[in-house]
Every structure is written in structure tokens, then in C-alpha cells.
């Protein structure tokens, strides 16, 4: 008999994005924000006015990466530099793996049920904006 | 001096998506809805509960296609079947071209300023939901 | 609050594959068999002795396609020929969409919780082997 | 007359996977495990419950890489860091090359007849689980 897991809803995703945008506005850096579900598939995405168009892809890939390995992309990156145990991981999964800060898993009842990915500023800014989104959930 | 064109805002995109979702709910078919700007770049995206995960990609590509050729994907499709003048166009642009209904250009003051792409039902349903989104603008 | 859905287990996937292989042996046609979960992500795969190596990819993509659109690839194919409403859909989703028989959704409690994809023979054979797999669940 | 080489069977692959999974359970880290034949083509794959979905791709690529160069991915990685003689090799073969631990060739009668690839934990864990699989053969 199949087991059950909690599911991330579109409504959840909207709240995450709104909270992240509020933080992005507060620091004055427009961002792209993406939310994926437990399967790593996109639920919702927004690009703020003047956010980089190159960030459209990166935000989505940070979200995917965080769910793909149940880890922040910041922590993954810290183990994926030349000489590290996961160096080269960014060549896997059809180029969908991002190894710099801005992607965070969404955890509920001890299970990763999705992830948020933010791109548009420095790694530190992206990570902070993603955290602000999670805080709302 | 550079000329100016009206710009589609994130706020516009949200209104388009909300209107499209209202229509999708009315016909009882969950959809993926994407909005791109004049550059063909994604502004906002939402996947409704139970919408097909295969539609995530298609909705975005329908929006891109509509802006890429300033035409509805329904009309483009009508000229892209085997034997038609544009047959094979779906292999161009890195596979981003969709040639069936659901993508519509967003026109303002006679200029195409973006596009909406909808996927999740029959071609007719997708087109109708996209039209409902446009009607709101 | 997140809703819950049934989850397809690795044990389920193994039983599906074993049943499908029994059928493939019965008709004397070696097959590749893939099972994906609700997120469209691969759970298990087997290639029978002498099955085509070109089928490794196709079996997995049939499974993905069936879950991506909650439909058999046979039925999807019937609507995706030149002139049909979904013609061109095989160019979407990064080339992962297969539009010929052999992919079937796995349904439990009215929800699609995954899919099976079979490749190695004629469309009819692939579909029959996939059905034999499902029958076991 | 063509020479003959031993062939890795699906039955072999299953035994390798089962042994690897036993080890993975023993160390409490769920894994994805893939086995390829002498042609580098996938024979069998399993994703254990709660294994990372990003590992589906990596396990298969580690197996391919090990057979592609008849070397463990751990040893290949040791020569593929920035400044090393094979730096950049992970961009070859369509992105199918993985340069961190977890892939091991399967050798019989002095010939490489396939490979196993494991992904789901640290590089050390992945390598140990792959070795446990090989030990069974």
C-alpha cells in the first residue's frame, strides 16, 4: 500500500513568492523567484521589474537543485568546487544543477516537499531572499 | 532618441493569469499559464492544482512562440502541418516552438508587447482560457 | 495545509516490471521497462536480454509522457498526428515526449501516482506488456 | 571468427543492485543504483525510497563514465580537477561524464564487461556501496 506525503500547493507557492519579493524590495534588488514541488516540477514563478533575464533560468534551476539533493545550493556549492567531493555535479541532470547560493528546500513534517530558488543579486542576497520566503511558510 | 513602447508589467501578468485561472476553473480543467514580455522572456507562471506536469514546459513555449512570431499558436499551427509552408518550424529555436492552440500575443497600441501561453486541456480549451486572460487586459 | 496523495513505492515498481517481463516472455519479444513516480522521476528500469538498446531511452520517455499528461501514449499519439490538435507536442519537454503506444498511467484512488513505459516491439506489443504490468498492481 | 567476451546479464545486474542496496541500508543512506553493460548501455536501475531525485541521472552517468574510460570515477576525478590533465572532461560526451566517486567498472576474466554507478550520499559512501555490489559478483 502506498504511503502518503504532504503536498505543496499553488497557494503555498504564492505566499512564498510574495514574502520573498517583499524582502527583495527591502534590500532594493529585483529578483526572479521560482517554487517547485516534491517532484522538482515548477509550481509558480515571478520576475520582478528590472530583474536580470538571465536569472529566469537560474532561479528555476536553483529550486530544482535544492529539491534534487534536499540541500541548499549554498551548501552544495561548498562541496562542489575543484578538488571537492562533488566537483563536476553541475554537469549532471541536463545542465539543471546550480551550485551557488539561492536555492533552499521546503521542509514540512520532516519531509522535503519542494524548494524555492532565487536569482537576481549576490549569492548572499539571493539566499536571504529565499530564506525570507521560507519564513512565511 | 530611442522610441518607446508600452511595457508589460509583472502586475499585468498577474492579472492575466488570474483571469485565465478563473476561466479554467469555470470549465473545470486545471491549466498551466505563462506570460512572457516583449523580449519573449518569462514574466510569471502558475500551475493550477492537478494540471499536467508536461504542461509546465508547453505553456511557457506557447507564450514564447506567440511572441517569437507575433501570431497565435493556433494560426501558426494551421500553416505548420505536413505539406504546409512552415512544416518543421517546431524543430527550430532549440525546440521552443509549439504549433498548437493556446498561445496568444498581447497587443497594445498596435504593438506586440508580450504573449500568454496556456496548456492543460484540449487545444480549444487552452485557446479559450488564454483569450479570457487577454480580455482582462 | 498541504494535502496528501498516495505514493508509488520501489516495491510496487518491481512488481510491475516483473509482471510486464512475464508477458514479454510469453509473447517472445524482449523489452525495456521503466516505472516513474508521481513527479515523473524514474523509480526502476530493466532491459531484458536482447532488447533493443534504442529502447532504453524510449521506455523511460514513454513512462514520463504518460505521467506528464495523465494519458496512455497510444491515446496521446492518436491526437498528435499531422493535422491533429496536439501535433508538435513531441518537440516539447526537451524531447522527452513519446507519441506512440507503450506508456500507461498508474492510477490509485482516482489519482495518477506514476506511469509505466515499455519499448521493444510493435506498438501493440508494448502496450500489451505495459497493461500486463498494471494488471499486477 | 569473432572472439567472445563474457556478457553481463540482467540477472547479474539485479544481484549487484540487491547487494548494493543491502549495503546502503546498512549505512542508512538511500541510494540510486545503475548497471550498464559492455556497450555502456543501461541494464537495470533502482531508486531506493527517499533517495535524491537528482541522483537518478548521476548514478546512470557514473556507470556510463566508468565503462567509457574503464576506470573508477573516483580515480578519473583525481585527474580531472582544475589544473589536471583531464580537466574539462566532464563537458564531453554530451554531459554524461561524472568525475566524482561512485562509479566502478565490472571486470571479468580481465575484461571490463560493464559498470556500476551509485549516487545518494557522500563520495565515500557511494563508492563503498558500489564496491559492495561488485563484491557480490
Amino acid at each position: 500500500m502506498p504511503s502518503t506525503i504532504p503536498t505543496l500547493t499553488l497557494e503555498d507557492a504564492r505566499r512564498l513568492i510574495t514574502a520573498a519579493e517583499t524582502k527583495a524590495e527591502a534590500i532594493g534588488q529585483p529578483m526572479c523567484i521560482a517554487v517547485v514541488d516534491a517532484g522538482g516540477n515548477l509550481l509558480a514563478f515571478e520576475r520582478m521589474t528590472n530583474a536580470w533575464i538571465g536569472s529566469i533560468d537560474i532561479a528555476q534551476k536553483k529550486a530544482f537543485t535544492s529539491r534534487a539533493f534536499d540541500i541548499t545550493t549554498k551548501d552544495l556549492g561548498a562541496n562542489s568546487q575543484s578538488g571537492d567531493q562533488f566537483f563536476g555535479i553541475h554537469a549532471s541532470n541536463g545542465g539543471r544543477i546550480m551550485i551557488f547560493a539561492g536555492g533552499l528546500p521546503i521542509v514540512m513534517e520532516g519531509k522535503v516537499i519542494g524548494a524555492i530558488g532565487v536569482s537576481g543579486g549576490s549569492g548572499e542576497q539571493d539566499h536571504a531572499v529565499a530564506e525570507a520566503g521560507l519564513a512565511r511558510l
Side-chain angles (χ1 to χ4, degrees), chain A residues 55-132:
Chain A
S55 287
I56 298 170
D57 180 71
I58 293 177
Q60 294 180 59
K61 287 178 174 171
K62 284 181 180 172
F64 173 77
T65 301
S66 261
R67 171 52 188 130
F69 300 108
D70 295 349
I71 194 174
T72 66
T73 55
K74 186 180 173 184
D75 285 350
L76 182 65
N79 289 285
S80 303
Q81 305 304 308
S82 185
D84 290 339
Q85 65 170 328
F86 295 135
F87 177 61
I89 199 170
H90 57 292
S92 75
N93 284 274
R96 298 179 72 195
I97 303 303
M98 289 292 110
I99 53 173
F100 47 97
L104 278 78
I106 303 170
V107 182
M108 193 162 290
E109 301 172 21
K111 293 267 184 192
V112 177
I113 59 167
I116 182 170
V118 173
S119 176
S122 68
E124 235 173 89
Q125 289 174 321
D126 293 353
H127 190 85
V129 168
E131 271 186 329

Side-chain angles (χ1 to χ4, degrees), chain A residues 10 13-14 17 21 31-36 42-48 51-53 55-61 117-119:
Chain A
L10 174 55
R14 280 183 193 136
I17 289 175
E21 286 172 347
M31 301 278 181
C32 289
I33 303 149
V35 176
V36 300
L42 191 64
L43 261 182
F45 170 88
E46 289 202 352
R47 171 161 52 108
M48 296 171 71
W52 300 324
I53 57 176
S55 287
I56 298 170
D57 180 71
I58 293 177
Q60 294 180 59
K61 287 178 174 171
V118 173
S119 176

